Amino acid sequence: MIDQINARVKVVVVFLLSVVALLVFTACCYLGQDWFSKWHGLPMGGLLMLLAIPFHLQGEKRKIFYLISFLLNTAGMGICASAYYTMTIVPSALEDLLPALALPLAILLVTGILLVLFEEKNNSSLRS
C-alpha cells in the first residue's frame, strides 16, 4: 500500500504513523502501571502482540487490518514496558514520559525533512 504513493507523501505518512506509535506506546506504558500489578503487564502485553499477528496476516485482504495490527502491537509493547515501572516500584507519571518523546520526534522530523529535500535533488539530477 505505502509503495504506491509518492515519496513526499510516504515520508509524511511514515512520520505521522511514528508519532502515533510513540504516543500509543507512552499512553499504554503509563496506563499499564495502573491496570496491572507486578509483572502481570508482561503476559497481557504479549497477548496483545500475539493478537496482532492474525490481523497482520489479513492485511492483504483489507488494508485496515494492517493499522489494527500496528496499534495492537504498539499497545502490547507499551503494556510490557509498564511492567518495568511496576516491578521496580518507580512510578512514572505521564509528565515524566512525555518529555522523553521530544528527542525521537525531533530525529524523525529532521530525517523526514532531509528525505524530502534529497528526494527533490535526486529527482532533478535524474531528469538532467
Side-chain angles (χ1 to χ4, degrees):
M1 181 176 101
I2 199 162
D3 296 334
Q4 299 168 352
I5 54 179
N6 74 34
R8 185 174 292 188
V9 174
K10 189 183 300 186
V11 168
V12 172
V13 168
V14 169
F15 174 75
L16 292 175
L17 286 174
S18 299
V19 170
V20 168
L22 286 169
L23 292 174
V24 168
F25 178 88
T26 302
C28 288
C29 188
Y30 171 71
L31 294 172
Q33 296 173 70
D34 293 334
W35 293 343
F36 305 104
S37 60
K38 299 198 180 201
W39 52 268
H40 298 120
L42 287 174
M44 184 53 74
L47 185 64
L48 285 175
M49 288 187 275
L50 286 173
L51 187 60
I53 294 171
F55 283 99
H56 181 79
L57 295 174
Q58 292 298 314
E60 282 295 318
K61 295 177 184 169
R62 299 203 49 209
K63 303 300 182 195
I64 189 71
F65 289 133
Y66 281 136
L67 181 62
I68 294 168
S69 170
F70 168 76
L71 293 172
L72 284 171
N73 191 50
T74 304
M77 290 186 302
I79 290 172
C80 284
S82 75
Y84 167 79
Y85 294 107
T86 305
M87 289 298 295
T88 58
I89 312 171
V90 177
S92 188
L94 202 54
E95 52 270 3
D96 296 329
L97 293 172
L98 288 177
L101 296 178
L103 183 60
L105 289 174
I107 291 170
L108 284 167
L109 184 61
V110 169
T111 303
I113 290 169
L114 290 174
L115 285 171
V116 169
L117 290 176
F118 285 120
E119 170 64 25
E120 289 176 3
K121 288 182 181 180
N122 204 10
N123 282 341
S124 65
S125 66
L126 290 174
R127 290 182 195 136
S128 306

